[in-house]
Coordinates of all heavy atoms in Angstrom, one line a residue:
M16 N 0.8 -1.2 0.0 CA 0.0 0.0 0.0 C 0.9 1.2 0.0 O 0.6 2.2 -0.7 CB -0.9 0.0 1.2 CG -1.8 1.2 1.4 SD -3.2 1.0 0.4 CE -4.1 2.3 1.0
S17 N 1.9 1.3 0.8 CA 2.8 2.4 0.9 C 3.6 2.6 -0.4 O 3.9 3.7 -0.8 CB 3.7 2.3 2.1 OG 4.6 1.2 2.0
V18 N 3.9 1.5 -1.1 CA 4.6 1.6 -2.4 C 3.7 2.3 -3.4 O 4.2 3.2 -4.2 CB 5.0 0.2 -2.8 CG1 5.7 0.3 -4.2 CG2 6.0 -0.4 -1.9
L19 N 2.4 2.0 -3.4 CA 1.5 2.6 -4.3 C 1.3 4.1 -4.0 O 1.3 4.9 -4.9 CB 0.1 1.9 -4.2 CG -1.0 2.4 -5.0 CD1 -0.6 2.3 -6.5 CD2 -2.3 1.8 -4.8
L20 N 1.3 4.4 -2.7 CA 1.2 5.8 -2.3 C 2.4 6.6 -2.7 O 2.3 7.7 -3.2 CB 0.9 5.9 -0.8 CG 0.8 7.3 -0.2 CD1 -0.5 8.0 -0.8 CD2 0.7 7.2 1.3
V21 N 3.6 6.0 -2.5 CA 4.8 6.7 -2.9 C 4.9 6.9 -4.4 O 5.3 7.9 -4.9 CB 6.0 5.9 -2.4 CG1 7.3 6.5 -3.0 CG2 6.1 5.9 -0.9
T22 N 4.5 5.9 -5.2 CA 4.5 6.0 -6.6 C 3.5 7.1 -7.1 O 3.9 7.8 -8.0 CB 4.1 4.6 -7.2 OG1 4.9 3.6 -6.7 CG2 4.2 4.7 -8.8
L23 N 2.3 7.1 -6.5 CA 1.4 8.2 -6.9 C 1.9 9.6 -6.6 O 1.7 10.5 -7.3 CB 0.0 8.0 -6.2 CG -0.8 6.8 -6.8 CD1 -2.0 6.6 -5.9 CD2 -1.1 7.0 -8.2
L24 N 2.5 9.7 -5.4 CA 3.1 11.0 -5.0 C 4.2 11.4 -6.0 O 4.4 12.6 -6.3 CB 3.6 11.0 -3.6 CG 2.5 11.0 -2.5 CD1 3.1 10.8 -1.1 CD2 1.6 12.2 -2.6
M25 N 5.1 10.5 -6.4 CA 6.2 10.8 -7.3 C 5.7 11.2 -8.6 O 6.2 12.1 -9.3 CB 7.1 9.6 -7.4 CG 8.0 9.4 -6.1 SD 9.0 8.0 -6.1 CE 10.1 8.4 -7.5
A26 N 4.6 10.5 -9.1 CA 4.0 10.8 -10.4 C 3.4 12.2 -10.4 O 3.4 13.0 -11.3 CB 3.0 9.8 -10.8
A27 N 2.8 12.6 -9.2 CA 2.1 13.9 -9.1 C 3.2 15.0 -9.1 O 2.9 16.1 -9.5 CB 1.2 13.9 -7.9
A28 N 4.4 14.7 -8.5 CA 5.4 15.7 -8.4 C 6.2 15.9 -9.7 O 7.0 16.8 -9.8 CB 6.3 15.3 -7.3
D29 N 6.0 15.0 -10.6 CA 6.8 15.0 -11.9 C 6.3 16.2 -12.7 O 5.1 16.3 -13.1 CB 6.6 13.7 -12.7 CG 7.5 13.6 -13.9 OD1 8.4 14.4 -14.0 OD2 7.2 12.8 -14.8
P30 N 7.2 17.1 -13.1 CA 6.7 18.3 -13.8 C 6.2 18.0 -15.2 O 5.5 18.7 -15.8 CB 7.9 19.2 -13.9 CG 9.1 18.4 -13.4 CD 8.6 17.2 -12.7
A31 N 6.7 16.9 -15.8 CA 6.3 16.5 -17.1 C 4.8 16.1 -17.2 O 4.1 16.3 -18.2 CB 7.1 15.4 -17.7
T32 N 4.3 15.5 -16.1 CA 2.9 15.1 -16.0 C 2.0 16.1 -15.4 O 0.8 16.0 -15.5 CB 2.8 13.8 -15.2 OG1 3.2 14.0 -13.9 CG2 3.6 12.7 -15.8
A33 N 2.6 17.2 -14.9 CA 1.8 18.2 -14.2 C 1.1 19.0 -15.4 O 1.7 19.3 -16.4 CB 2.6 19.1 -13.4
T34 N -0.1 19.4 -15.1 CA -0.9 20.2 -16.1 C -0.5 21.7 -15.9 O -0.5 22.2 -14.8 CB -2.4 20.0 -16.0 OG1 -2.8 20.4 -14.7 CG2 -2.8 18.5 -16.3
Q35 N -0.2 22.3 -17.0 CA 0.1 23.7 -17.0 C -1.2 24.5 -17.2 O -2.1 24.1 -17.9 CB 1.0 24.1 -18.1 CG 2.4 23.5 -18.0 CD 3.2 24.0 -16.8 OE1 3.0 25.2 -16.5 NE2 4.0 23.1 -16.2
P36 N -1.4 25.6 -16.5 CA -2.6 26.4 -16.7 C -2.6 27.0 -18.1 O -1.5 27.3 -18.7 CB -2.4 27.6 -15.7 CG -1.0 27.6 -15.3 CD -0.5 26.2 -15.5
A37 N -3.7 26.9 -18.7 CA -3.9 27.4 -20.1 C -3.6 28.9 -20.2 O -4.0 29.7 -19.4 CB -5.2 27.1 -20.6
A38 N -2.8 29.2 -21.2 CA -2.5 30.6 -21.4 C -3.7 31.3 -22.0 O -4.4 30.7 -22.8 CB -1.3 30.8 -22.4
P39 N -4.0 32.5 -21.5 CA -5.2 33.2 -22.0 C -5.0 33.5 -23.5 O -4.0 33.9 -23.9 CB -5.3 34.5 -21.2 CG -3.9 34.7 -20.6 CD -3.3 33.3 -20.5
E40 N -6.1 33.2 -24.3 CA -6.0 33.5 -25.7 C -6.0 35.0 -25.9 O -6.8 35.7 -25.3 CB -7.2 32.9 -26.4 CG -7.2 31.3 -26.4 CD -8.4 30.8 -27.1 OE1 -8.8 31.4 -28.1 OE2 -8.8 29.7 -26.8
Q41 N -5.1 35.4 -26.8 CA -5.0 36.8 -27.1 C -6.0 37.1 -28.3 O -6.0 36.5 -29.3 CB -3.6 37.2 -27.5 CG -2.7 37.1 -26.3 CD -1.2 37.5 -26.7 OE1 -1.0 37.8 -27.9 NE2 -0.4 37.5 -25.8
K42 N -6.7 38.2 -28.1 CA -7.6 38.6 -29.1 C -6.8 39.5 -30.1 O -5.9 40.2 -29.7 CB -8.8 39.5 -28.6 CG -9.7 38.7 -27.6 CD -10.7 39.6 -27.1 CE -11.6 38.9 -26.1 NZ -12.6 39.7 -25.5
P43 N -7.1 39.4 -31.4 CA -6.4 40.2 -32.4 C -6.7 41.7 -32.1 O -7.9 42.0 -31.8 CB -7.0 39.8 -33.7 CG -8.2 39.0 -33.4 CD -8.1 38.5 -32.0
R44 N -5.7 42.5 -32.2 CA -5.9 43.9 -31.9 C -6.6 44.6 -33.1 O -6.3 44.3 -34.2 CB -4.6 44.6 -31.7 CG -3.8 44.1 -30.5 CD -2.5 44.8 -30.3 NE -2.8 46.1 -29.9 CZ -1.9 47.0 -29.7 NH1 -0.6 46.7 -29.9 NH2 -2.2 48.2 -29.3
A45 N -7.6 45.3 -32.7 CA -8.4 46.0 -33.7 C -7.6 47.2 -34.2 O -6.8 47.9 -33.5 CB -9.7 46.5 -33.2
E46 N -7.6 47.4 -35.5 CA -6.9 48.6 -36.1 C -7.6 49.9 -35.7 O -8.8 50.0 -35.6 CB -6.9 48.5 -37.7 CG -6.0 47.4 -38.2 CD -6.0 47.5 -39.7 OE1 -5.3 48.4 -40.2 OE2 -6.6 46.6 -40.4
R47 N -6.7 50.9 -35.5 CA -7.2 52.2 -35.2 C -7.9 52.8 -36.4 O -7.4 52.6 -37.5 CB -6.1 53.1 -34.7 CG -5.7 52.9 -33.3 CD -4.7 53.9 -32.9 NE -4.2 54.8 -34.0 CZ -3.4 55.8 -33.8 NH1 -3.0 56.1 -32.6 NH2 -3.0 56.5 -34.8
K48 N -8.9 53.6 -36.2 CA -9.5 54.4 -37.3 C -8.7 55.6 -37.5 O -8.2 56.3 -36.6 CB -10.9 54.7 -36.9 CG -11.8 53.5 -36.7 CD -12.3 53.0 -38.0 CE -13.3 51.9 -37.8 NZ -14.0 51.5 -39.0
I49 N -8.6 56.0 -38.8 CA -7.9 57.2 -39.2 C -9.0 58.0 -39.9 O -9.6 57.6 -40.9 CB -6.8 56.9 -40.2 CG1 -5.8 56.0 -39.5 CG2 -6.2 58.2 -40.7 CD1 -4.7 55.4 -40.5
C50 N -9.2 59.2 -39.4 CA -10.3 60.1 -39.9 C -9.7 61.2 -40.8 O -8.7 61.8 -40.5 CB -11.1 60.8 -38.8 SG -11.9 59.6 -37.7
K51 N -10.3 61.3 -42.0 CA -9.8 62.4 -42.9 C -11.1 63.1 -43.4 O -12.2 62.6 -43.4 CB -9.2 61.7 -44.2 CG -7.9 60.9 -43.8 CD -7.3 60.4 -45.1 CE -6.1 59.6 -44.8 NZ -5.5 59.0 -46.0
T52 N -10.8 64.4 -43.7 CA -11.9 65.2 -44.2 C -11.9 65.3 -45.7 O -10.9 65.6 -46.3 CB -11.8 66.7 -43.6 OG1 -11.7 66.6 -42.2 CG2 -12.9 67.5 -44.0
E53 N -13.0 65.0 -46.3 CA -13.1 65.0 -47.8 C -14.1 66.1 -48.2 O -15.1 66.3 -47.5 CB -13.6 63.7 -48.3 CG -12.7 62.5 -48.1 CD -13.2 61.2 -48.7 OE1 -14.4 61.1 -49.0 OE2 -12.3 60.4 -48.9
E54 N -13.8 66.8 -49.2 CA -14.7 67.9 -49.7 C -15.8 67.2 -50.5 O -15.6 66.2 -51.2 CB -13.9 68.8 -50.5 CG -12.9 69.6 -49.7 CD -12.2 70.7 -50.5 OE1 -12.7 71.1 -51.5 OE2 -11.1 71.1 -50.1
G55 N -16.9 67.9 -50.5 CA -18.1 67.4 -51.3 C -17.8 67.4 -52.8 O -17.1 68.3 -53.3
H56 N -18.3 66.5 -53.5 CA -18.0 66.3 -55.0 C -19.1 66.9 -55.8 O -19.0 67.1 -57.0 CB -17.8 64.9 -55.3 CG -16.7 64.2 -54.7 ND1 -15.4 64.5 -55.0 CD2 -16.6 63.3 -53.6 CE1 -14.6 63.8 -54.2 NE2 -15.3 63.1 -53.4
T57 N -20.3 67.3 -55.2 CA -21.4 67.8 -56.0 C -21.6 69.3 -55.9 O -22.7 69.7 -56.0 CB -22.7 67.0 -55.6 OG1 -22.9 67.3 -54.2 CG2 -22.6 65.5 -55.8
G58 N -20.6 70.0 -55.7 CA -20.7 71.5 -55.6 C -21.1 72.0 -54.2 O -21.2 73.2 -54.0
S59 N -21.2 71.1 -53.3 CA -21.5 71.5 -51.9 C -20.3 72.0 -51.2 O -19.2 71.6 -51.5 CB -22.1 70.3 -51.1 OG -22.2 70.7 -49.8
R60 N -20.5 73.0 -50.4 CA -19.3 73.5 -49.6 C -19.1 72.7 -48.3 O -18.1 72.9 -47.6 CB -19.6 75.0 -49.2 CG -19.5 75.9 -50.4 CD -19.7 77.3 -49.9 NE -20.6 78.0 -50.8 CZ -21.0 79.2 -50.6 NH1 -20.7 79.8 -49.5 NH2 -21.8 79.7 -51.5
M61 N -20.0 71.8 -48.0 CA -19.9 71.0 -46.8 C -18.8 69.9 -47.0 O -18.8 69.3 -48.1 CB -21.2 70.3 -46.5 CG -22.4 71.3 -46.3 SD -22.1 72.1 -44.7 CE -22.3 70.8 -43.6
S62 N -18.0 69.8 -46.0 CA -17.0 68.7 -46.1 C -17.5 67.5 -45.3 O -18.4 67.6 -44.5 CB -15.7 69.2 -45.6 OG -15.8 69.6 -44.2
K63 N -17.0 66.3 -45.6 CA -17.5 65.1 -45.0 C -16.3 64.5 -44.3 O -15.2 64.4 -44.9 CB -18.1 64.2 -46.1 CG -18.6 62.9 -45.5 CD -19.2 62.1 -46.7 CE -19.8 60.8 -46.1 NZ -20.3 59.9 -47.2
R64 N -16.5 64.0 -43.1 CA -15.5 63.3 -42.3 C -15.6 61.8 -42.5 O -16.7 61.3 -42.3 CB -15.6 63.7 -40.9 CG -14.4 63.2 -40.0 CD -14.5 63.7 -38.6 NE -13.4 63.3 -37.9 CZ -13.3 63.2 -36.6 NH1 -14.3 63.7 -35.9 NH2 -12.2 62.8 -36.0
V65 N -14.6 61.2 -43.0 CA -14.6 59.7 -43.2 C -13.6 59.1 -42.4 O -12.4 59.5 -42.4 CB -14.3 59.4 -44.7 CG1 -14.3 57.9 -45.0 CG2 -15.3 60.1 -45.6
C66 N -14.0 58.1 -41.6 CA -13.1 57.3 -40.7 C -13.0 55.9 -41.1 O -14.0 55.2 -41.2 CB -13.6 57.4 -39.2 SG -13.7 59.1 -38.6
L67 N -11.8 55.5 -41.5 CA -11.5 54.1 -41.9 C -10.2 53.6 -41.3 O -9.4 54.4 -40.8 CB -11.4 54.0 -43.5 CG -12.6 54.5 -44.3 CD1 -12.2 54.6 -45.8 CD2 -13.8 53.6 -44.1
T68 N -10.0 52.3 -41.3 CA -8.7 51.8 -40.9 C -7.7 52.0 -42.0 O -8.0 52.3 -43.1 CB -8.8 50.3 -40.6 OG1 -9.1 49.6 -41.8 CG2 -9.9 50.0 -39.5
Q69 N -6.4 51.8 -41.6 CA -5.3 52.0 -42.6 C -5.5 51.0 -43.8 O -5.3 51.4 -44.9 CB -4.0 51.8 -42.0 CG -2.8 52.0 -42.9 CD -2.8 53.5 -43.5 OE1 -2.9 54.4 -42.7 NE2 -2.7 53.6 -44.8
T70 N -5.9 49.8 -43.5 CA -6.2 48.8 -44.6 C -7.3 49.3 -45.5 O -7.1 49.1 -46.7 CB -6.5 47.4 -43.9 OG1 -5.5 47.0 -43.0 CG2 -6.7 46.4 -45.0
E71 N -8.3 49.8 -44.9 CA -9.4 50.3 -45.7 C -9.0 51.5 -46.6 O -9.4 51.6 -47.7 CB -10.6 50.6 -44.9 CG -11.3 49.4 -44.2 CD -12.3 49.8 -43.1 OE1 -12.2 50.9 -42.6 OE2 -13.2 48.9 -42.9
W72 N -8.2 52.4 -46.0 CA -7.7 53.5 -46.8 C -6.8 53.0 -48.0 O -6.9 53.5 -49.1 CB -6.9 54.5 -45.9 CG -7.7 55.4 -45.1 CD1 -7.8 55.4 -43.8 CD2 -8.6 56.4 -45.6 NE1 -8.7 56.4 -43.3 CE2 -9.2 57.0 -44.4 CE3 -9.0 56.9 -46.8 CZ2 -10.1 58.1 -44.5 CZ3 -9.9 57.9 -46.9 CH2 -10.5 58.5 -45.8
D73 N -6.0 52.0 -47.7 CA -5.1 51.5 -48.8 C -6.0 50.9 -49.9 O -5.7 51.1 -51.1 CB -4.2 50.4 -48.2 CG -3.1 51.1 -47.3 OD1 -2.9 52.3 -47.3 OD2 -2.6 50.3 -46.5
R74 N -7.0 50.1 -49.5 CA -7.9 49.5 -50.5 C -8.6 50.6 -51.3 O -8.8 50.5 -52.5 CB -8.9 48.6 -49.8 CG -8.3 47.3 -49.3 CD -9.3 46.5 -48.6 NE -8.7 45.2 -48.2 CZ -9.3 44.4 -47.3 NH1 -10.5 44.7 -46.8 NH2 -8.7 43.3 -46.9
R75 N -9.0 51.6 -50.6 CA -9.8 52.7 -51.3 C -8.9 53.4 -52.3 O -9.3 53.8 -53.4 CB -10.3 53.7 -50.2 CG -11.2 54.7 -50.7 CD -11.8 55.5 -49.6 NE -12.8 56.4 -50.2 CZ -13.4 57.3 -49.5 NH1 -13.2 57.4 -48.2 NH2 -14.3 58.1 -50.1
E76 N -7.6 53.7 -51.9 CA -6.7 54.3 -52.8 C -6.4 53.4 -54.0 O -6.1 53.9 -55.1 CB -5.4 54.7 -52.1 CG -5.6 55.8 -51.2 CD -4.3 56.2 -50.4 OE1 -3.3 55.6 -50.7 OE2 -4.4 56.9 -49.4
A77 N -6.5 52.1 -53.8 CA -6.2 51.1 -54.9 C -7.4 51.0 -55.8 O -7.4 50.3 -56.8 CB -5.8 49.8 -54.3
G78 N -8.6 51.6 -55.4 CA -9.7 51.6 -56.3 C -10.8 50.5 -55.9 O -11.7 50.3 -56.6
V79 N -10.6 49.9 -54.7 CA -11.5 48.9 -54.3 C -12.6 49.6 -53.4 O -12.3 50.4 -52.6 CB -10.8 47.8 -53.4 CG1 -11.8 46.8 -52.8 CG2 -9.7 47.1 -54.2
N80 N -13.9 49.3 -53.7 CA -15.0 49.9 -53.0 C -15.1 49.3 -51.6 O -15.4 48.1 -51.5 CB -16.3 49.7 -53.8 CG -17.4 50.6 -53.2 OD1 -17.3 51.1 -52.1 ND2 -18.5 50.6 -53.9
V81 N -14.8 50.1 -50.6 CA -14.8 49.6 -49.2 C -16.2 49.2 -48.8 O -16.4 48.2 -48.1 CB -14.3 50.7 -48.2 CG1 -14.3 50.2 -46.8 CG2 -12.8 51.0 -48.6
G82 N -17.2 49.9 -49.2 CA -18.6 49.5 -48.9 C -19.0 48.1 -49.4 O -19.6 47.4 -48.7
D83 N -18.5 47.8 -50.6 CA -18.8 46.4 -51.1 C -18.1 45.4 -50.3 O -18.6 44.3 -50.0 CB -18.4 46.3 -52.5 CG -19.2 47.1 -53.5 OD1 -20.4 47.5 -53.0 OD2 -18.8 47.4 -54.6
L84 N -16.9 45.7 -49.8 CA -16.1 44.7 -49.0 C -16.8 44.4 -47.7 O -16.9 43.3 -47.2 CB -14.7 45.2 -48.7 CG -13.8 45.2 -49.9 CD1 -12.5 45.9 -49.6 CD2 -13.5 43.8 -50.5
K85 N -17.4 45.5 -47.1 CA -18.0 45.3 -45.8 C -19.3 44.5 -45.9 O -19.6 43.7 -45.1 CB -18.3 46.7 -45.1 CG -17.1 47.4 -44.6 CD -17.5 48.7 -43.9 CE -16.2 49.3 -43.4 NZ -16.5 50.6 -42.7
T86 N -20.0 44.7 -47.0 CA -21.3 43.9 -47.2 C -20.9 42.4 -47.5 O -21.7 41.6 -47.2 CB -22.2 44.5 -48.3 OG1 -21.4 44.5 -49.5 CG2 -22.6 45.9 -47.9
M87 N -19.8 42.2 -48.1 CA -19.4 40.8 -48.4 C -18.8 40.1 -47.2 O -18.5 38.9 -47.2 CB -18.4 40.8 -49.6 CG -19.0 41.2 -50.9 SD -17.9 41.1 -52.3 CE -16.4 41.7 -51.8
G88 N -18.4 40.9 -46.2 CA -17.8 40.2 -45.0 C -16.3 40.2 -45.0 O -15.7 39.6 -44.2
A89 N -15.7 40.9 -45.9 CA -14.2 40.9 -46.0 C -13.7 41.9 -44.9 O -14.4 42.8 -44.5 CB -13.7 41.4 -47.4
R90 N -12.5 41.6 -44.5 CA -11.8 42.5 -43.5 C -10.6 43.0 -44.0 O -9.7 42.5 -44.5 CB -11.6 41.7 -42.2 CG -12.9 41.3 -41.6 CD -12.8 40.6 -40.3 NE -14.1 40.2 -39.9 CZ -14.4 39.7 -38.7 NH1 -13.4 39.6 -37.8 NH2 -15.5 39.4 -38.4

């Protein structure tokens, strides 16, 4: 009986068999929004403030319609 008890205690003390606490999962960091002021295109004097992420600004400059990407679920 004591041999069994000693064996169980040694197995519990073995660091290889000990369970490590799970590391907390890291959430992906959300990109910061960059706001720019755009002038109206239809003769209006009112300017419009547009806030997008850097990725969305890059896509917009490349000619990709950001609104279409959002409706399709792209990020």
Side-chain angles (χ1 to χ4, degrees):
M16 176 84 169
S17 62
V18 174
L19 178 62
L20 182 61
V21 170
T22 305
L23 289 173
L24 289 174
M25 288 178 63
D29 186 18
T32 59
T34 58
Q35 297 292 327
E40 292 184 27
Q41 294 181 356
K42 296 179 182 177
R44 294 181 71 182
E46 287 188 73
R47 277 187 354 174
K48 296 279 186 173
I49 301 169
C50 297
K51 297 181 181 180
T52 303
E53 294 185 341
E54 294 184 22
H56 298 288
T57 59
S59 173
R60 291 186 222 171
M61 298 291 292
S62 59
K63 182 179 180 182
R64 187 172 183 201
V65 179
C66 298
L67 302 171
T68 63
Q69 183 62 50
T70 304
E71 292 170 336
W72 281 115
D73 293 341
R74 289 179 179 165
R75 189 172 185 184
E76 289 176 12
V79 178
N80 188 349
V81 177
D83 290 342
L84 290 174
K85 287 184 179 181
T86 59
M87 292 187 315
R90 294 182 185 192

